[in-house]
Amino acid sequence: MGDRKSYPSDVTDEQWALLGPFLEAWRSTRVSVAGRTGEHDLREVVNAILYQTRTGCQWAYLPHDLPQKSATYYYFALWRDDGTDQVIHDLLRCQTRERAGRREDPTAVAVDTQSIRAANHVPAATTGKDAGKKVPGRKRGLAVDALGLIIAVVVTAASVTDNAIGIKLLDKVAEHSPTVTVAWVDAGFKQDVGVHGAVLGIDVQVVKRTDTQPGFVPVKKRWIVEQVYGTLMLHRRLAREYESRPESSVSRTLWASMATMVRRLTGTTTPTWRHG
């Protein structure tokens, strides 16, 4: 970081010790014809991505003491498209589970969706309206383990049914964590999800509320995914759908999750943004 003053979203030395080796190994495989491996400081690129994810600022509004938009977006898009963000996320997840005394791969997940309003510039071709919640924009689907660690992310138009998203999530769960045998869902997921889960060897169990209390009530086995959604909302880039491509929104979710995991692994926290 040189002599610049750090931002609350910057990775610490301990956190970079977890992320850095993965990205430096990635860089070592991308040698140009002239023998160069890139000039930008990857730690600062990560700091810029995390700053934007946390604050929600536009690309052009990245602070001048962080890598400029062209460099930051270049790496963000490259890591999104070649799957580097997913690989690092999954490796960190395994480490986090081991640190908590769990096996690397989970055996159960909680699945749910969240509708997010889209900004005006988001292409209409990739958005829609959630008929039930009356929310125009996109829908984010998550599958998380018992520790609240993300196993799979799907982002679609808000008009896509929970059923269709649930099927996509189960496919991703089976791909990234084949040890999963149980998935807990709410009543919004229909029989097709259960049938698809059975084909994949995953028992889809509908966990319903047992009370009549209005408003949000934590539901056993399902509450953890709601908690994860709440944590993601602390990252302002995810509080509204700003990304032109759904794939970028998936990547943003992974980066927010990675920021949470490196804090858990190093026992650190992000300083509060509130005063007093």
Side-chain angles (χ1 to χ4, degrees), residues 85-102:
D85 54 4
Q86 182 75 63
V87 170
I88 296 176
H89 177 274
D90 290 352
L91 290 171
L92 288 174
R93 187 187 68 232
C94 290
Q95 291 183 31
T96 305
R97 285 184 58 82
E98 287 186 323
R99 179 67 60 87
R102 303 293 187 100

Side-chain angles (χ1 to χ4, degrees), residues 25 52 71 80 112 126-127 129 141 145 179 220 234 239 241 253:
Q52 189 182 40
R80 174 199 67 199
D112 203 357
T126 62
T127 62
K129 187 172 184 178
D145 68 7
T179 54
K220 185 179 180 181
L234 297 175
E241 189 56 64
T253 305

Side-chain angles (χ1 to χ4, degrees), residues 23-269:
L23 292 175
E24 292 300 339
W26 170 87
R27 169 176 270 176
S28 68
T29 65
R30 297 182 60 83
V31 181
S32 69
V33 177
R36 298 175 181 174
T37 57
E39 301 175 354
H40 291 93
D41 183 343
L42 295 184
R43 179 172 177 175
E44 284 289 72
V45 171
V46 169
N47 284 335
I49 292 173
L50 295 181
Y51 178 94
Q52 189 182 40
T53 301
R54 187 76 183 192
T55 65
C57 75
Q58 297 164 283
W59 284 104
Y61 284 80
L62 282 171
H64 295 298
D65 53 1
L66 289 173
Q68 59 186 340
K69 166 189 173 181
S70 58
T72 303
Y73 181 76
Y74 170 79
Y75 283 102
F76 173 80
L78 191 58
W79 293 334
R80 174 199 67 199
D81 295 341
D82 70 5
T84 296
D85 54 4
Q86 182 75 63
V87 170
I88 296 176
H89 177 274
D90 290 352
L91 290 171
L92 288 174
R93 187 187 68 232
C94 290
Q95 291 183 31
T96 305
R97 285 184 58 82
E98 287 186 323
R99 179 67 60 87
R102 303 293 187 100
R103 294 180 179 178
E104 283 190 2
D105 295 306
T107 58
V109 294
V111 177
D112 203 357
T113 65
Q114 177 189 48
S115 294
I116 303 293
R117 290 184 179 274
N120 292 336
H121 70 275
V122 177
T126 62
T127 62
K129 187 172 184 178
D130 184 329
K133 299 178 181 177
K134 310 301 182 184
V135 176
R138 290 199 180 126
K139 192 176 286 186
R140 183 182 299 129
L142 292 182
V144 307
D145 68 7
L147 299 179
L149 303 177
I150 294 176
I151 306 300
V153 187
V154 169
V155 176
T156 69
S159 53
V160 176
T161 65
D162 285 1
N163 213 38
I165 293 176
I167 289 173
K168 290 182 180 180
L169 281 170
L170 290 181
D171 284 337
K172 284 197 169 189
V173 167
E175 176 186 356
H176 295 290
S177 296
T179 54
V180 170
T181 57
V182 177
W184 297 307
V185 302
D186 63 23
F189 295 87
K190 306 304 180 183
Q191 186 177 4
D192 287 350
V193 177
V195 172
H196 191 72
V199 172
L200 298 173
I202 300 174
D203 179 21
V204 178
Q205 301 177 5
V206 178
V207 182
K208 299 181 179 180
R209 285 178 54 159
T210 57
D211 62 89
T212 58
Q213 181 179 344
F216 173 73
V217 177
V219 178
K220 185 179 180 181
K221 298 180 180 180
R222 269 180 34 211
W223 68 270
I224 188 66
V225 68
E226 299 287 354
Q227 184 184 62
V228 174
Y229 278 124
T231 301
L232 290 179
M233 291 300 97
L234 297 175
H235 299 82
R236 294 187 179 182
R237 189 79 180 189
L238 295 174
R240 184 177 286 268
E241 189 56 64
Y242 293 110
E243 309 300 337
S244 296
R245 297 174 54 182
E247 298 89 343
S248 293
S249 186
V250 170
S251 185
R252 286 286 178 192
T253 305
L254 294 176
W255 279 107
S257 178
M258 282 189 270
T260 299
M261 286 191 289
V262 294
R263 289 197 298 271
R264 291 174 71 165
L265 286 167
T266 57
T268 54
T269 60

